[in-house]
Amino acid sequence: MLKAKTVQLLVLAAGLGLSALLSWKLQHDQELYIDARFQHESQLQAEALHREIQVSLESLYSLSALLTDKSAPSRAEFHFTARQVINRHPGVQALEWIPRVKLAKKSDLEEQQKQRYPGFTFTELDKNNNLQPVEERPEYFPVYFVEPLIGNENAFGFDLASNPVRLSALNNARDNASPSASAPLSLVQGNSQSSGILAFLPHYQGMPVTLDARRENLQGFVLGVFYIDEIFDISSMPSIASNIQFRLTDITTEPEEAPFFISQPLAPYTLADDYSKTQLLPLIWGRQWVIESIPTQGYIDSKQAPYAGIILLVGITFTLLTNLYIYLLSKRTRLIEREVKSRTAELNEMNRKLQQIARIDELTSLYNRRGFEEFYAREWQRAVRNKTTISVIIFDVDHFKRFNDKYGHLAGDHCLEAVASILSRHAKRPGDLVARLGGEEFVVLLTDTENPQTVAEDCRHGVACMKLRHEDSPVADIVTISAGFTSISPEAGIPRDLALEQADKALYMAKESGRNRVIRYHNEHQPVTRIISNPGIQD
C-alpha cells in the first residue's frame, strides 16, 4: 500500500516536473525565435530606411550639376531639372536654390522676383512662428527658387540664416565643402507636427581649398527638404511597420535627445516593452541617428504558437491518467494479494490439517508412527543438547489377533481405543507422547523422567482394570498388555534408534516371559535383569 502510494507520488512529481520543464523549454525556445525574428525584421527596416534617406539626399547631386560653371542656375533650368528629380524621388518634399545675398544686393533680388511673384520678400519667423519681413543683417540665405512652389509657399523667400538650426547646417556645409544635413526641425512650409530635415550642398565660385577661401567664394546652396514620415512610409515594409513601432533620435549633439519621429503601427496596439532593439544608423551627411524598434503585443502573439500550453496540458493529463492507472492497478493488486493471502492461509490450514492427519492415527487419535518418529527425533536432539534422559515404553496388546477373531474387528477397534485412552491418561505431562506404532502396538515417550517403570506399570494395571473380556487369551480372560522400556542419556555419536531397539527387545522378552508384564532393558549381554511386574491374572 505504502509502496504503491510512493510510486504514485513519484510518477506524479516526475510527470508534472517533466511536463513543466518541457513546456518551459518550448516557451523559452519560442521566445528566442520571436526575439531573433524581431531583431532580423527590425534590422531589415532600419537598412531600408537608411537606403531611402541616402537615395533621397543624393538626389541633390543631380541638381548641383547645373551649377558646375555658373554662379547661379536660371529659373527655367532649375525648375525643369528639379521636377525630374522629384518625380524620381517621391521622398523629396522640395528642392530649392539658396543664394548668398549681401545686404547691398537684397533689394535688387527682391525686385527681380516681384516682377514674376508680386509681394515677394525675404522673410523670417517671429517669436510666435509667424512669417515677417527679415530684419537688416549683413547677408541672407533666402529660398530664391523652389520646386514645387505649391505646398511650399511659406518657404519661398524664407531666410535660412534667420534660424540658428538652419544657419548651423549652412555654415557646416560651407566650411567643410561637403553635404550637410540639419538636425530634425519643423518646416515652415508644412505641418508643424511633422519633422523634417534640410540637406545642403554648397556651391562656390571656383574651387577654394582653404576655409577662408570657402567663406569668401561661397555662392549659395542647393537645398533639399525632406519629411521623415514620408521617407519612412516609402521605405517601410507593411508587414513589419504595421506591427513594430520605430523611433528615430538624433544624437549628434545631445545623446539623450527625445525621438523626433515615432511611427504608428496599426491601431489599436499595445507595445511589448520586453522586446526592443536599438541600433545606430550610418552617418547621414554629418548626422548620427539612432533607431529604436519595439514590437506590438499583436506582433508577439502572431508569432507565438500554443505548443507550450498544449504540451503542459497533455503532460498533466497523461500524468493524471498514468496515476489513475497505477492506482487502479495497485488496487487490483491489493485485491489479488488479499485473495492470494486468503487462499494461501486456507491452503496452509489444509496443509496443516493434512500434515496432522498424516501424523495422527485415525482410529485412536494418537500420533501414528510418522508423527512419533518426528517428535522422537526432536526430543533426542534436545536431550543431546541438554544432557537429559529419554525413556521409551513399547506396549503390545496380548493375543490381539485372537481377540479380533473371537469378537470381530469392530470390537477390536473399540479395544484399541480403550487401550489408547488408558495410556494417554497416565502419560500426561507436557513433554510426554503416546503413539500407535501400528496394529496393537503402542509407544510412550517420556522426557527427563526418573520413574518410567511406574508409568509403564500404571498403564498395564489400568488396562487390566478395564476387565475387557478376552476368553481366547491364554494369559487371562481379560485384555492385558505387555511392555518393554528403556531409559537412555543421548550423546553425540549414539544411534538415534538405540532407545527404540532396546525397548523393543525388552518387549520381546516380556512376551517370551509370559506376557501381561513390564520388563526393563539393561544391556546387550543381559537384556532382562528383572521382571518389574508379573501379576498373572489377579488384576
Side-chain angles (χ1 to χ4, degrees), residues 31-47:
E31 289 175 356
L32 292 179
Y33 164 76
I34 293 173
D35 185 65
R37 184 71 179 270
F38 162 70
Q39 299 286 338
H40 175 67
E41 293 184 355
S42 298
Q43 183 68 33
L44 289 178
Q45 181 60 56
E47 292 174 354

Side-chain angles (χ1 to χ4, degrees), residues 15 70 116 124 209 297 388 402 405 435 466 472 493 495 520 536:
K70 299 179 181 179
R116 187 175 182 87
E124 63 184 7
V209 295
Q297 191 60 49
T388 56
R402 294 184 180 185
D405 293 342
M466 289 191 306
D472 288 351
R520 177 176 182 173

Side-chain angles (χ1 to χ4, degrees), residues 301 306 315 368 390 472 498:
D301 295 341
N368 58 19
I390 285 181
D472 288 351
L498 181 62

